[in-house]
Amino acid sequence: MARELYFISGSPPCWSVMLALEVKGLAYTPRRLDNAKREQKSAEYLAINPRGQVPVLVEGDVTICETLAILSYLEAATPTPALFGSLPVETARIWQAIFDCDGNLREPVGQISRPSFRGKAIEAAEQIKEAAETVRDELALYETALSENEWLAGNSLSAADLIVFPVIMQLLRAVGREDAAPLELAIYPLADHFLNLASWVSRIEALPGYDNAYPPHWK
Ligand SMILES: N[C@@H](CCC(=O)N[C@@H](CS)C(=O)NCC(=O)O)C(=O)O
């Protein structure tokens, strides 16, 4: 059955879904929308997702919006490799890590990346430094988790890794910019500050299909 994924390049939630499709070995046709042209707000796309957001998965006559709904659908339809665990405690740890990311990491990373991607890192220095403090606390928790296990929620790759990874990559792209360097945020290069996390990034980068999911405009 034809499977299509509507996405915006560099969007962390879209990247998470693409990684899940690759990990599960599911073929799909990427349908890239141009944020600069606001294509996600076109009448044609609003007919697919009235919120005008990505990601959206379309499979035959099924349309699914929302990252976690899409991941749950993929898991139910293609249970192996399992991305939401097998044992109850595994499933709980995975959801815990996902909610931790959504509640504690995503927004402060946005507070860093939004001004930084607009070339306004120096103007927004105070906001960025404050957000970076919160982010470093979260990265320290990941660092501890990854000293005990290879993956964020245990000994197997899970949806938690696929949700957190693009957020970390967005962060690194923002703090690795030349104009962010004077802010001395103590995050970049990652291996200098969070070694376990840097190794975890390398493990994800080595996943089969990783390159297919990489944001096209970052290549
Ligand atoms: N909770 C939604 C959030 C989706 C979301 O925020 N998507 C952004 C890209 S990261 C988007 O579509 N932005 C374009 C817009 O809102 O116009 C999900 O996880 O699917």
Side-chain angles (χ1 to χ4, degrees), residues 8 11-13 38 40-41 52-55 66-67:
I8 289 174
S11 149
R38 309 296 289 157
Q40 71 274 21
K41 305 299 183 202
Q53 289 196 320
V54 288
E66 283 293 329
T67 311

Side-chain angles (χ1 to χ4, degrees), residues 122 173-183:
I122 297 302
R173 191 168 166 88
V175 299
R177 289 170 59 104
E178 213 172 290
D179 56 350
L183 303 183

Side-chain angles (χ1 to χ4, degrees), residues 105-137:
L105 184 69
R106 209 179 279 281
E107 180 48 28
V109 166
Q111 285 168 3
I112 296 170
S113 64
R114 282 189 293 269
S116 173
F117 290 161
R118 276 188 235 113
K120 305 268 187 222
I122 297 302
E123 289 91 326
E126 279 320 301
Q127 169 188 315
I128 290 179
K129 282 183 182 172
E130 203 177 311
E133 230 175 281
T134 308
V135 166
R136 281 195 305 272
D137 288 347

Side-chain angles (χ1 to χ4, degrees), residues 93-116:
R93 295 280 177 255
I94 292 161
W95 280 107
Q96 185 182 326
I98 290 171
F99 282 112
D100 278 344
C101 173
D102 280 349
N104 304 306
L105 184 69
R106 209 179 279 281
E107 180 48 28
V109 166
Q111 285 168 3
I112 296 170
S113 64
R114 282 189 293 269
S116 173

Side-chain angles (χ1 to χ4, degrees), residues 158-173:
S158 77
D161 300 287
L162 304 188
I163 289 289
V164 173
F165 176 78
V167 182
I168 299 285
M169 295 302 271
Q170 184 185 42
L171 170 70
L172 294 179
R173 191 168 166 88

Side-chain angles (χ1 to χ4, degrees), residues 28-168:
Y28 66 98
T29 304
R31 301 279 183 217
R32 182 176 174 182
L33 302 179
D34 187 342
N35 186 38
K37 294 186 188 151
R38 309 296 289 157
E39 283 179 346
Q40 71 274 21
K41 305 299 183 202
S42 69
E44 196 190 337
Y45 186 69
L46 289 175
I48 296 171
N49 180 1
R51 286 192 197 279
Q53 289 196 320
V54 288
V56 168
L57 182 79
V58 178
E59 219 180 76
D61 57 3
V62 173
T63 297
I64 304 169
C65 310
E66 283 293 329
T67 311
L68 291 170
I70 297 171
L71 294 190
S72 305
Y73 172 78
L74 296 177
E75 182 81 352
T78 309
T80 49
L83 289 177
F84 286 90
S86 306
L87 301 174
V89 69
E90 291 169 350
T91 305
R93 295 280 177 255
I94 292 161
W95 280 107
Q96 185 182 326
I98 290 171
F99 282 112
D100 278 344
C101 173
D102 280 349
N104 304 306
L105 184 69
R106 209 179 279 281
E107 180 48 28
V109 166
Q111 285 168 3
I112 296 170
S113 64
R114 282 189 293 269
S116 173
F117 290 161
R118 276 188 235 113
K120 305 268 187 222
I122 297 302
E123 289 91 326
E126 279 320 301
Q127 169 188 315
I128 290 179
K129 282 183 182 172
E130 203 177 311
E133 230 175 281
T134 308
V135 166
R136 281 195 305 272
D137 288 347
E138 290 305 308
L139 300 190
L141 294 175
Y142 291 143
E143 193 66 6
T144 304
L146 291 167
S147 71
E148 291 157 9
N149 291 301
E150 284 217 335
W151 302 100
L152 285 182
N155 282 318
S156 311
L157 174 79
S158 77
D161 300 287
L162 304 188
I163 289 289
V164 173
F165 176 78
V167 182
I168 299 285

